Amino acid sequence: MTASHRPRSTKPSPTKARRERETLERREAILAAARDVFFENGIHRATVDEIAARAEVAKGTVYLYFESKETILAHLLMEGLDALRESLAEAYAENLSLSAEQRLRRLCAAYLNFFQHEQYYFRLMMAFDRGQFQEAISAELRQLIITHSMQGLRWAVRAIEQGIADGDFAVTDAKNTAGMFWAAINGALVIMSHPLRRDILEQDVESLYNGVMELTLKGIKK
Amino acid sequence: MTASHRPRSTKPSPTKARRERETLERREAILAAARDVFFENGIHRATVDEIAARAEVAKGTVYLYFESKETILAHLLMEGLDALRESLAEAYAENLSLSAEQRLRRLCAAYLNFFQHEQYYFRLMMAFDRGQFQEAISAELRQLIITHSMQGLRWAVRAIEQGIADGDFAVTDAKNTAGMFWAAINGALVIMSHPLRRDILEQDVESLYNGVMELTLKGIKK
Amino acid sequence: MTASHRPRSTKPSPTKARRERETLERREAILAAARDVFFENGIHRATVDEIAARAEVAKGTVYLYFESKETILAHLLMEGLDALRESLAEAYAENLSLSAEQRLRRLCAAYLNFFQHEQYYFRLMMAFDRGQFQEAISAELRQLIITHSMQGLRWAVRAIEQGIADGDFAVTDAKNTAGMFWAAINGALVIMSHPLRRDILEQDVESLYNGVMELTLKGIKK
Amino acid sequence: MTASHRPRSTKPSPTKARRERETLERREAILAAARDVFFENGIHRATVDEIAARAEVAKGTVYLYFESKETILAHLLMEGLDALRESLAEAYAENLSLSAEQRLRRLCAAYLNFFQHEQYYFRLMMAFDRGQFQEAISAELRQLIITHSMQGLRWAVRAIEQGIADGDFAVTDAKNTAGMFWAAINGALVIMSHPLRRDILEQDVESLYNGVMELTLKGIKK
DNA sequence: CATGAATGAGGATTCATTCAT
DNA sequence: AATGAATGAATCCTCATTCAT
């Protein structure tokens, strides 16, 4: 009832194939419309009505593809997490021979890039408030989100493990250190994604973000 | 319709004084009730009805003291910011002779303590999303919030200035560095205040928070 | 939250009194409108929108006086039960010296009269279906309905007790016999209140109802 | 668009025969699924979606066999009426030499048995409310239901006619008396099929039902 | 014949805000 | 100043029915 909440075909055939493609396209269209609506109005102001209108489908059709408003949000979030994960994997560049610090810097750059080009994802993250949201999605979907989120963190863990192994880093627990690192640089983005706090700091995103990165990197290095 | 939006008295007199005192008390009562209601139900689930009931006033009375639901929220936020500012001032301990690092550590401890004992304030911060909130409050009120927020940051700025002056810190711009420092440790709290992300990191608040602090401190120090 | 779901006044005063009266009037107006709407459209076709429109109040106002559509229905039902109980009390004529049979006949006549003049009450009774209804009302309200219903039956019990005491009736258990008596004559009304079944029997209400009454009375008598 | 509303074949042939059989089977499958769904969820909660799913056909297919949800209900009702009619015919035992009273008792027992084992039929009867139902079925179908219902009653009429002829019964109009008899015992079942009213009477079905039967029988007999 | 995606008119309920008293 | 009844727009979701394939 969660991820597979879409009509599935069993036997492929010319018509089936097209139908299936159209189904996926429509699903994407709804998701895209939802992304716009959520982004423009904020999660709580967004309405299913407007999502449907923007996707050019009837209201009921939305519920054919998604169980609820919250489920749409969850899928949007996962889309974002997936895109991020790919960016990070690419940035990590497994088959290149890079130093741990280089990898960490590349990961940070990818994260900043993602933030700048996929802002809506951060809004989503921040709007994930207990009350409205968490209760409305299934436990499975929740677990899926956690899993997806962790995969992004894993690249940082690996980079730090390398740094420890290479004797470059002065830390012992890679997992915890990655968490701290993420918390710190993410903190910069969180603050900058909020207009009010951006006004308080009077810096631009890049300089704050990179500043935090340099600070933390220096803190990690021997 | 100004930010204070409260029946103001012009000429003090025995009765006026009592009146005014009662007025302030009632205002506080509403604010206290609102704090409870917002905290227990979340911002979007909270209703003015319940705030009024909890404050033991009529619904209309709430609107006598505050323009809107959002304005109440803004004042609540300022209450929180004020309390924090005082905590930080105390932690800074102007009249004690302390090293910059000591001051920074004390400020961090005060911030963590505030987070742990006044959680609702962070919920408020995080729920400050554009759509619902920013548009609904007056420009003056908005500016007031910014000012209040900055005063908290100022203590960090001063500590870092001291560190630079003392030759302990390897940074040049105190204001920017304070921003980074705040962004980083605040980032730890932001992440930990979210159940989903807490599940991802599998660490407890204190260890993550202190970890980030140590990392950043090491990054700042010479 | 059930029966007292209406603004209550504590200290009577000229204005308060009028306010209270208006409040009651409005409550009655909503109930009256609901009665019409439920009766004309059937319980499931009836909408709160139409009730509000017919009562000439805003939709939200309806919810100021009643918790839900089902609660309105329950109160309507109780109104009916109360009216019936009064009719039966009057028909029983406690202070008249009548034979048990006379009393039973009078009760039956009153019941038929009630059925013929307050038809909507029977519709309500029959539409009390498990799913939609019972779950939606509070346990207290449910108990209230049961209590009210029983009070109607009690008159029949007393008449039969008298018949037993007087040696007129050949039965032993007054409570059970009253139940049977009620079941039988009520059965006549139930059938006749349904157009389809009325067409099957090809009799008019009175003749069927009185026929059942005579049959059952003869069965009870010595 | 007639009452039968099923694809009818004109010229039988091996394949046609199979087709027709399959068609009937599918029709039965839908009816069976509908019976379950209506019974489990109540008429208003039941959805065509679930009926289709349970019958393992597409939603559109349901509309190939039945005009509407209400039509399905009507056919279900007729199924029930047919089953009842057969039970009653058997109970009447035309080729046995029985007294009128014996026959009547047997018919009553069969009716009670039917009530206890085919409860859904009574739910259907009671849910036959004007608004939703009567308007939605064709006049022909309505007439069909009436005819089917009458056939059940006819057995009671015949038994009473016998009782009159044999001089056992003190009534004159067999048809009317049968109606009364049915109304009375049916009334017992109606009351007991409703949880609320069952709570009022505090008797069990059998004792109430049999009590009404004895009472009425005594009323009919000389 | 069968399918099942799409429709879209509802429908119950909530709640911030107003305003007559 | 305080009240609290009234408002009514807004919102999510349901589901019988249709129709192109």
Side-chain angles (χ1 to χ4, degrees):
Chain A
M1 277 294 163
T2 50
S4 67
H5 189 72
R6 102 193 61 159
R8 61 232 166 258
S9 68
T10 40
K11 293 167 198 164
S13 80
T15 2
K16 289 262 170 180
R18 183 164 54 80
R19 266 283 245 298
E20 195 170 343
R21 205 185 57 239
E22 281 171 7
T23 284
L24 275 171
E25 274 166 14
R26 188 155 302 215
R27 190 188 161 83
E28 285 312 311
I30 293 171
L31 235 24
R35 182 163 43 230
D36 291 351
V37 174
F38 281 128
F39 188 49
E40 282 172 30
N41 305 315
I43 291 182
H44 296 283
R45 279 250 218 270
T47 69
V48 176
D49 265 57
E50 199 181 340
I51 293 172
R54 200 92 63 111
E56 294 183 320
V57 298
K59 217 182 314 187
T61 306
V62 174
Y63 287 89
L64 241 38
Y65 289 86
F66 298 97
E67 279 169 357
S68 67
K69 191 186 168 184
E70 281 78 19
T71 305
I72 299 178
L73 214 44
H75 280 278
L76 235 30
L77 183 59
M78 285 207 301
E79 273 197 351
L81 289 170
D82 280 348
L84 175 59
R85 190 185 42 178
E86 275 177 45
S87 288
L88 294 179
E90 208 179 325
Y92 185 85
E94 199 149 7
N95 45 11
L96 258 59
S97 138
L98 298 166
S99 74
E101 185 179 342
Q102 281 175 315
R103 289 203 204 276
L104 233 35
R105 285 181 183 280
R106 289 170 60 107
L107 288 172
C108 284
Y111 196 41
L112 177 62
N113 184 66
F114 183 77
F115 170 78
Q116 289 177 319
H117 294 93
E118 311 276 16
Q119 278 236 22
Y120 72 90
Y121 164 70
F122 279 86
R123 298 270 181 84
L124 253 46
M125 260 178 63
M126 299 200 58
F128 244 48
D129 75 341
R130 198 175 337 273
Q132 299 273 277
F133 198 91
Q134 304 253 33
E135 293 163 9
I137 61 170
S138 67
E140 298 146 65
L141 195 48
R142 189 182 190 277
Q143 192 50 52
L144 213 57
I145 291 175
I146 291 178
T147 310
H148 279 227
S149 300
M150 290 222 244
Q151 288 171 327
L153 191 61
R154 202 151 301 282
W155 294 114
V157 175
R158 287 184 56 180
I160 290 170
E161 280 171 347
Q162 181 190 331
I164 295 171
D166 292 353
D168 293 339
F169 291 174
V171 294
T172 50
D173 187 327
K175 174 93 198 294
N176 281 357
T177 307
M180 294 166 202
F181 194 75
W182 178 44
I185 60 169
N186 186 63
L189 299 183
V190 164
I191 279 182
M192 296 314 277
S193 73
H194 198 297
L196 217 59
R197 271 166 281 169
R198 191 161 44 219
D199 287 356
I200 292 165
L201 287 190
E202 295 168 341
Q203 289 186 62
D204 60 296
V205 191
E206 282 104 0
S207 89
L208 183 77
Y209 182 82
N210 288 322
V212 171
M213 182 187 70
E214 295 297 347
L215 229 52
T216 331
L217 224 40
K218 195 174 153 221
I220 292 175
K221 285 195 290 186
K222 262 200 176 129
Chain B
M1 289 297 160
T2 62
S4 66
H5 188 74
R6 101 189 63 155
R8 49 207 172 277
S9 64
T10 40
K11 291 167 200 162
S13 80
T15 6
K16 289 264 170 180
R18 182 165 54 81
R19 262 293 221 335
E20 197 168 340
R21 206 185 55 240
E22 281 171 6
T23 285
L24 274 171
E25 275 167 12
R26 191 160 299 213
R27 190 186 162 83
E28 286 310 311
I30 294 170
L31 235 24
R35 182 166 41 234
D36 291 351
V37 174
F38 280 130
F39 188 48
E40 281 172 29
N41 307 314
I43 292 182
H44 297 284
R45 287 244 220 268
T47 68
V48 176
D49 256 290
E50 201 181 338
I51 293 172
R54 203 92 63 112
E56 294 183 321
V57 298
K59 216 188 320 188
T61 307
V62 173
Y63 284 87
L64 245 34
Y65 288 86
F66 299 96
E67 278 169 3
S68 67
K69 192 185 168 185
E70 281 78 20
T71 305
I72 300 178
L73 217 41
H75 281 278
L76 234 30
L77 182 58
M78 285 206 302
E79 273 198 351
L81 289 169
D82 280 349
L84 175 60
R85 191 186 42 180
E86 275 178 45
S87 286
L88 294 179
E90 206 180 325
Y92 185 86
E94 201 150 6
N95 45 10
L96 259 58
S97 141
L98 298 166
S99 74
E101 184 180 341
Q102 280 175 316
R103 289 203 204 276
L104 232 35
R105 283 182 184 280
R106 289 170 60 104
L107 289 172
C108 284
Y111 196 41
L112 176 62
N113 184 66
F114 184 78
F115 170 78
Q116 288 177 321
H117 293 94
E118 311 277 15
Q119 278 238 20
Y120 73 91
Y121 165 69
F122 279 87
R123 301 263 184 89
L124 253 48
M125 260 178 63
M126 298 199 61
F128 246 48
D129 73 342
R130 187 174 348 271
Q132 298 275 281
F133 200 91
Q134 305 254 31
E135 293 163 8
I137 61 170
S138 67
E140 297 147 68
L141 192 50
R142 190 180 188 280
Q143 192 50 51
L144 213 57
I145 290 174
I146 292 179
T147 312
H148 279 230
S149 298
M150 289 222 249
Q151 288 172 326
L153 190 61
R154 200 152 304 281
W155 294 113
V157 175
R158 289 184 54 180
I160 291 171
E161 281 170 347
Q162 182 191 329
I164 295 172
D166 292 353
D168 292 338
F169 290 174
V171 295
T172 49
D173 186 325
K175 174 89 198 296
N176 280 358
T177 307
M180 294 166 202
F181 195 75
W182 177 45
I185 60 168
N186 186 61
L189 298 183
V190 164
I191 278 182
M192 296 314 277
S193 72
H194 197 297
L196 216 59
R197 271 166 281 169
R198 191 161 41 219
D199 287 355
I200 292 166
L201 286 192
E202 295 169 340
Q203 287 187 61
D204 60 296
V205 191
E206 283 104 359
S207 90
L208 183 78
Y209 182 82
N210 288 322
V212 171
M213 182 188 70
E214 295 298 346
L215 229 52
T216 333
L217 225 41
K218 195 174 154 218
I220 293 175
K221 286 194 289 185
K222 255 196 180 132
Chain C
M1 280 293 163
T2 50
S4 68
H5 187 72
R6 101 193 62 159
R8 60 234 166 256
S9 67
T10 41
K11 293 166 199 164
S13 81
T15 1
K16 289 262 169 179
R18 183 164 53 81
R19 266 284 244 298
E20 196 170 343
R21 204 185 58 239
E22 280 171 8
T23 283
L24 274 172
E25 275 166 12
R26 189 154 303 216
R27 191 187 161 83
E28 285 311 312
I30 293 170
L31 234 25
R35 183 163 41 231
D36 291 351
V37 174
F38 280 129
F39 188 49
E40 282 173 28
N41 305 312
I43 291 182
H44 296 282
R45 280 250 219 270
T47 69
V48 176
D49 265 57
E50 200 181 340
I51 293 172
R54 200 91 65 110
E56 292 183 321
V57 297
K59 219 181 313 184
T61 306
V62 174
Y63 286 89
L64 240 39
Y65 290 85
F66 299 96
E67 278 170 356
S68 66
K69 190 184 168 185
E70 281 79 19
T71 305
I72 300 179
L73 215 44
H75 280 277
L76 236 30
L77 183 58
M78 285 205 303
E79 274 197 352
L81 289 170
D82 279 348
L84 175 59
R85 191 186 42 178
E86 275 177 46
S87 287
L88 294 179
E90 207 178 328
Y92 185 86
E94 200 149 6
N95 44 12
L96 258 59
S97 140
L98 298 166
S99 73
E101 184 179 343
Q102 280 175 316
R103 289 203 203 277
L104 233 34
R105 283 182 183 280
R106 289 169 61 104
L107 288 172
C108 284
Y111 196 42
L112 176 62
N113 183 66
F114 183 78
F115 169 78
Q116 287 178 321
H117 294 94
E118 311 277 14
Q119 277 237 21
Y120 73 91
Y121 164 70
F122 279 86
R123 297 272 180 83
L124 253 46
M125 259 178 63
M126 299 200 59
F128 245 47
D129 75 341
R130 199 174 335 271
Q132 297 274 277
F133 198 92
Q134 304 253 31
E135 294 163 10
I137 61 170
S138 68
E140 299 146 65
L141 195 50
R142 189 181 190 278
Q143 192 51 50
L144 214 57
I145 291 175
I146 291 179
T147 311
H148 280 227
S149 299
M150 290 222 248
Q151 288 172 326
L153 190 60
R154 201 151 303 281
W155 293 114
V157 175
R158 288 184 56 181
I160 291 170
E161 280 170 348
Q162 181 190 332
I164 295 172
D166 293 354
D168 292 339
F169 290 174
V171 294
T172 50
D173 187 325
K175 173 92 199 297
N176 281 357
T177 308
M180 294 167 204
F181 195 75
W182 178 44
I185 61 167
N186 186 61
L189 299 182
V190 164
I191 278 183
M192 296 314 276
S193 73
H194 198 297
L196 216 58
R197 271 166 283 170
R198 191 161 41 219
D199 286 358
I200 292 166
L201 287 191
E202 295 168 340
Q203 288 187 60
D204 60 296
V205 191
E206 283 101 358
S207 90
L208 183 77
Y209 181 82
N210 287 323
V212 171
M213 182 188 70
E214 295 297 348
L215 229 51
T216 332
L217 224 42
K218 193 174 156 219
I220 292 175
K221 286 195 289 186
K222 260 196 176 133
Chain D
M1 288 298 159
T2 61
S4 68
H5 189 72
R6 103 191 60 153
R8 48 204 173 280
S9 62
T10 39
K11 292 167 199 166
S13 81
T15 5
K16 289 263 171 179
R18 182 166 56 82
R19 263 289 223 336
E20 197 168 340
R21 204 184 57 239
E22 280 170 8
T23 283
L24 274 171
E25 275 166 13
R26 190 157 302 208
R27 190 186 162 83
E28 285 310 312
I30 293 171
L31 236 25
R35 180 163 44 230
D36 292 349
V37 173
F38 281 129
F39 187 49
E40 282 172 28
N41 307 313
I43 291 183
H44 297 283
R45 285 245 219 270
T47 68
V48 176
D49 255 290
E50 201 182 337
I51 293 171
R54 205 95 58 118
E56 294 182 323
V57 297
K59 215 190 316 187
T61 306
V62 173
Y63 284 87
L64 245 35
Y65 289 86
F66 299 96
E67 276 169 5
S68 67
K69 193 185 168 184
E70 281 77 20
T71 306
I72 300 177
L73 217 42
H75 280 278
L76 234 30
L77 182 59
M78 286 207 302
E79 273 198 352
L81 290 169
D82 280 348
L84 175 60
R85 189 186 43 179
E86 275 178 44
S87 286
L88 294 179
E90 207 179 326
Y92 185 86
E94 198 151 7
N95 45 11
L96 258 58
S97 137
L98 298 166
S99 75
E101 183 179 343
Q102 280 175 317
R103 288 203 204 277
L104 232 35
R105 284 180 183 280
R106 287 170 61 105
L107 288 172
C108 282
Y111 197 42
L112 176 62
N113 183 66
F114 184 77
F115 169 78
Q116 289 177 320
H117 294 94
E118 310 276 13
Q119 279 237 21
Y120 73 92
Y121 164 69
F122 278 86
R123 298 263 184 90
L124 253 48
M125 261 178 61
M126 298 197 61
F128 246 47
D129 73 342
R130 183 176 353 270
Q132 297 274 280
F133 200 90
Q134 304 254 32
E135 293 162 10
I137 61 170
S138 66
E140 298 148 65
L141 193 49
R142 189 180 190 280
Q143 192 50 52
L144 214 57
I145 290 174
I146 292 178
T147 311
H148 279 229
S149 299
M150 290 223 246
Q151 288 171 325
L153 190 61
R154 198 152 306 281
W155 293 114
V157 176
R158 288 184 56 182
I160 290 170
E161 281 171 347
Q162 182 190 331
I164 295 171
D166 292 353
D168 293 337
F169 291 174
V171 295
T172 50
D173 186 326
K175 174 89 198 296
N176 280 359
T177 307
M180 294 165 204
F181 195 74
W182 177 46
I185 60 168
N186 186 61
L189 299 183
V190 164
I191 278 182
M192 296 313 276
S193 73
H194 198 297
L196 216 59
R197 272 165 282 169
R198 192 161 41 217
D199 287 355
I200 293 167
L201 286 192
E202 296 168 341
Q203 289 187 61
D204 59 295
V205 192
E206 282 106 2
S207 90
L208 183 77
Y209 182 82
N210 288 323
V212 172
M213 181 187 72
E214 295 297 347
L215 229 53
T216 332
L217 224 40
K218 194 174 155 220
I220 293 176
K221 286 194 290 185
K222 255 189 182 140

